Amino acid sequence: MTTTMAQALNAALRDALKDDDRVLVFGEDVGTLGGVFRVTDGITADFGEDRCFDTPLAESGIVGFAVGMAMGGFRPVVEMQFDAFAYPAFEQITSHVAKLRNRTRGALEMPMVIRVPYAGGIGGVEHHCDSSEAYYTHTPGLRVVTPGTAQDAYDLLRDAIESPDPVVFLEPKCRYWSSEEVTFTRSGPGMDQALVRRHGKDVTLIAYGPMVATALETAEAAKAEGWDVEVVDLRSLSPFDDETVTASVRRTGRAVVVHEAAGFGGYGAEVVARVTEQCFHQLHAPVLRVTGLDIPYPAPKLERHMLPDVDRILDTIARLQWDDTPVVAGA
């Protein structure tokens, strides 16, 4: 059936609640209101306040409470409401959520999901449009995933809830209302596996979350320039699927990494390093990045200048030394 990403996430939560009595959903305004983006719409009415409930406006308390619930045998799914709202809970996430299983030598698992609506494209102001993925991927002990499609939203959330490890689940806000055909059965690849969304032979676009659709749009536009573009959707940011990504880059010989977050110290730098180290002898040009700007998130009327778009990505592809001229230092 045709559904939006928000509806697919709602369906995933409902199915998880039906299948496992240990699953609980809680956070700010997720109950009666159904969440700011209506991802939890109707869940409290259908499952009761014992299974889906509102919490005080205290992100650190929400995550700390979830840690205790997970230690007690439950499988909490918490919502941070907006990306930058999660920062007060960052100490809990890095000091306890990520480390407790290791600290207890595996005696205690931490089966919890931290849902974080993230990134821009909705005309939001600062504190509402951060791309904070690098903070979480730099923290060992956390799984970090982000869907780029409605189908993946359903599949990945179901897998995340069943994972014995803590999962930071990054939901691209600008894609909540994008719709597609979704099958509410889990038949896709595992949570840790990247996917080739479009096959091509000239260059690999590596994207995730909100930039997957932009990368696919760019691949279509690139036909007019004579480029056959392959698109890889990472899906899992940590752990990283080296096999799928490097196999694609070895086939095409060129790669561009695309993400909304600032470029300096951004997640794309890690992707570039891994691809360069593993595909050096197959590369015809340096691996390039298209990222957000190295500035705090701008006002709504200016965000279009911040976000990577088709034109910026095409301009970057054009820089990939198509004449196979060797790189000259200082050129």
Side-chain angles (χ1 to χ4, degrees), residues 26-201:
F26 53 93
E28 300 167 7
D29 298 320
V30 302
T32 303
L33 180 65
V36 172
F37 299 100
R38 301 301 184 267
V39 170
T40 55
D41 188 37
I43 291 180
T44 296
D46 293 342
F47 289 89
E49 293 183 350
D50 290 340
R51 304 291 304 284
C52 180
F53 52 89
D54 293 328
T55 65
L57 305 183
E59 286 78 12
S60 182
I62 293 169
V63 174
F65 179 57
V67 169
M69 298 294 283
M71 292 174 65
F74 290 92
R75 307 186 81 89
V77 182
V78 302
E79 181 183 304
M80 292 288 97
Q81 196 171 84
F82 283 97
D83 30 50
F85 290 6
Y87 297 148
F90 195 67
E91 191 278 332
Q92 291 277 1
I93 295 170
T94 58
S95 295
H96 303 294
V97 175
K99 294 180 172 63
L100 194 60
R101 188 173 189 180
N102 182 70
R103 183 182 300 148
T104 62
R105 298 184 180 182
L108 285 175
E109 294 183 341
M110 192 52 46
M112 60 182 290
V113 179
I114 302 171
R115 293 182 43 241
V116 184
Y118 87 118
I122 63 167
V125 294
E126 62 178 11
H127 299 121
H128 295 75
C129 292
D130 267 14
S131 293
S132 47
E133 58 267 30
Y135 298 130
Y136 301 114
T137 58
H138 187 67
T139 305
L142 299 176
R143 292 179 179 268
V144 184
V145 301
T146 178
T149 67
Q151 182 66 62
D152 253 6
Y154 179 85
D155 292 340
L156 287 174
L157 187 52
R158 292 299 310 275
D159 288 346
I161 293 171
E162 292 188 1
S163 172
D165 300 311
V167 180
V168 176
F169 194 92
L170 301 173
E171 301 171 6
K173 296 189 292 287
C174 68
R175 303 300 177 193
Y176 273 141
W177 303 280
S178 61
S179 60
E180 63 176 284
E181 286 292 318
V182 175
T183 302
F184 296 125
T185 57
R186 296 154 65 196
S187 56
M191 183 169 60
D192 298 342
Q193 185 176 332
L195 278 176
V196 177
R197 295 286 180 190
R198 183 187 189 278
H199 291 277
K201 60 181 178 60

Side-chain angles (χ1 to χ4, degrees), residues 208-231:
Y208 55 87
M211 285 291 107
V212 172
T214 305
L216 290 169
E217 185 180 354
T218 301
E220 287 300 309
K223 293 178 181 179
E225 305 295 333
W227 298 317
D228 188 10
V229 176
E230 183 152 300
V231 176

